[in-house]
DNA sequence: GTCTATACTCGGATAGAC
DNA sequence: GTCTATCCGAGTATAGAC
């Protein structure tokens, strides 16, 4: 698929069905909120701000969501959904053919440079969601688990192929990659000059098993 | 030095000087606040909560700090100060003799298990401080730079000794370790069962150059 | 230096009209 | 379903007495 658009989070893409009007509207809201936050950033944005951006009143917006926290959690879910379509790193069906998750992974990370607001929202909620009562708690646990499982699977394949260090089990390696991704976001937010993708790529390099002849492996 | 106490962040340790009474009191406040947050956790604590814990009124506490944000930033500074005394991983003078920062580093990380409130405060502020206007912005930039520099130096030594992969430059490796530490805190807060130290240790393992007797060594 | 009291702001939630 | 209007709590910051 050759989807290559300027903004992954396009606005106003509502698919209007005859039934379940409410659901469609809700999706439209999420998509627009996503676009706005991606573009204009998130600094502890209020429901009112999102409402304005989406073209509703605060009360009107909260008609679709139980609370502020749920709203933002759903925005993150929608983000994953959109990203999945574009980068499909999570799709279990295709994971076989993506032996090189490396490039897909790096693409997502590079893309994040263009959506600072979402990175901020994600990081902020990551911390807040530590509280088991937080609406996003389950979301993060499930997301992390899924992501790690897919990653571990792909890493194990590389280990079997002798391309990746086998000194550490793939589950732990997956955990490390996840930590690096999250941690690099924090460093990047603090200093936009740091290159998240290059650093993660360097980790891939560092873990790559050296070729016998001494030359560097370009890593499929 | 054999300091080995139950609580690194002891309460009520004020050294009362004749002059600069205000400064001493301020230090005492910070030490107590540190102990309270470490013990009872931080979930977006208000100034009032800290004031109560410290034995002052909210107004009384704010007499010593310009704002809530400055207060919490200073608490983090004090934490570093205390940690430095106990683990001294930052001391430039001694870094030479700590060729194995590995164990010191892991000690700090293990210690963090015992102070969840500080981990939460640190992570939360890490995100908020992305805003250049935030009082903690400079703190984090400077702290990260210092930490990375010390780390990079130690890693470079290990590389020279042929113990650590030389496929990636020490500065980038230091950045990776920092990212992993931050990222693992997030994972740990979400699920206290994850072992931060073990994971970081695994990364050390993964980057360690294989011994000669085993498979072929690349290095250099 | 520390308190009590209060002022003020922000923001989320709700009621009720249309 | 969406609005306007309002309420209410939380929390910071400040004024002023002691």
């Amino acid at each position: 698929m050759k989807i290559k658009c300027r903004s992954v989070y396009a606005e106003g893409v509502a698919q209007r069905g005859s039934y379940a009007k409410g659901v469609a509207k809700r999706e439209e809201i999420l998509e627009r909120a996503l676009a706005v936050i991606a573009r204009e950033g998130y600094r502890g944005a209020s429901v009112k701000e999102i409402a304005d951006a989406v073209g509703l009143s605060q009360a009107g917006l909260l008609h679709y969501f139980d609370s502020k926290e749920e709203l933002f959690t759903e925005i993150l879910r929608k983000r994953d959904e959109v990203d999945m379509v574009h980068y499909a790193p999570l799709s279990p069906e295709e994971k076989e053919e993506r032996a090189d998750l490396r490039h897909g992974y790096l693409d997502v990370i590079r893309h994040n440079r263009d959506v600072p607001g979402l990175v901020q929202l994600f990081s902020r909620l990551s911390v807040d969601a530590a509280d088991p009562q937080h609406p996003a708690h389950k979301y993060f646990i499930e997301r992390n688990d899924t992501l790690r499982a897919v990653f571990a699977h792909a890493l194990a394949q590389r280990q079997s192929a002798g391309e990746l260090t086998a000194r550490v089990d793939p589950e732990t390696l997956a955990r490390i990659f996840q930590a690096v991704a999250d941690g690099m976001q924090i460093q990047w937010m603090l200093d936009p000059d740091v290159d998240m993708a290059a650093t993660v790529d360097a980790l891939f390099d560092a873990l790559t098993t050296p070729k016998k002849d001494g030359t560097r492996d370009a890593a499929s």
Side-chain angles (χ1 to χ4, degrees), chain A:
Chain A
M1 51 182 100
K2 295 262 70 117
I3 304 170
K4 186 66 180 180
C5 58
R6 292 153 305 163
S7 172
V8 172
Y9 305 106
E11 293 183 57
V13 199
Q15 68 280 34
R16 203 151 282 252
S18 51
Y19 68 108
K21 169 88 171 308
V23 174
K25 176 76 178 182
R26 190 179 143 118
E27 293 306 302
E28 182 191 338
I29 290 172
L30 289 176
E31 282 164 19
R32 303 189 73 143
L34 201 52
V36 170
I37 293 176
R39 174 157 36 81
E40 306 193 351
Y42 162 87
R43 9 196 141 281
S46 66
V47 174
K48 172 86 164 51
E49 287 177 83
I50 304 297
D52 288 348
V54 163
L56 265 84
S57 69
Q58 189 231 29
L61 176 54
L62 280 187
H63 174 70
Y64 293 94
F65 303 90
D66 290 340
S67 69
K68 172 192 180 168
E69 293 177 333
E70 198 222 323
L71 165 62
F72 284 111
T73 305
E74 291 308 309
I75 290 175
L76 246 29
R77 277 216 170 81
K78 178 54 104 178
R79 190 261 276 254
D80 286 342
E81 194 184 302
V82 173
D83 277 1
M84 197 125 64
V85 170
H86 286 263
Y87 303 99
L90 297 176
S91 167
E93 292 77 16
E94 305 175 25
K95 69 189 173 191
E96 228 60 52
E97 66 189 43
R98 295 192 66 98
D100 68 332
L101 78 170
R102 179 171 182 169
H103 297 305
Y105 195 50
L106 291 176
D107 281 346
V108 175
I109 292 174
R110 279 191 208 97
H111 167 60
N112 281 343
R113 279 181 318 196
D114 303 327
V115 289
L118 293 178
V119 172
Q120 226 177 319
L121 173 59
F122 179 88
S123 299
R124 176 63 178 280
L125 243 54
S126 292
V127 177
D128 292 353
D131 179 357
Q133 303 306 310
H134 194 286
H137 189 72
K138 281 183 63 174
Y139 161 75
F140 276 105
I141 287 183
E142 286 167 8
R143 181 182 192 274
N144 287 354
D145 283 354
T146 305
L147 231 36
R148 271 204 312 276
V150 173
F151 225 84
H153 177 84
L155 291 174
Q157 280 188 313
R158 290 183 135 236
Q159 285 182 325
S160 302
E163 301 164 6
L164 195 72
T165 178
R167 304 186 64 119
V168 173
D169 62 282
E171 286 75 24
T172 301
L173 280 182
R175 202 176 271 292
I176 288 170
F177 272 101
Q178 191 158 67
V180 170
D182 291 345
M184 286 311 301
Q185 287 189 343
I186 292 176
Q187 288 186 36
W188 174 72
M189 287 190 293
L190 206 59
D191 174 10
D193 284 340
V194 313
D195 192 330
M196 294 188 283
T199 308
V200 172
D201 202 30
L203 179 57
F204 273 110
D205 269 344
L207 297 176
T208 299
T209 307
K211 285 286 190 183
K212 292 283 167 58
D213 59 1
T215 51
R216 294 284 171 88
D217 179 7
S220 54

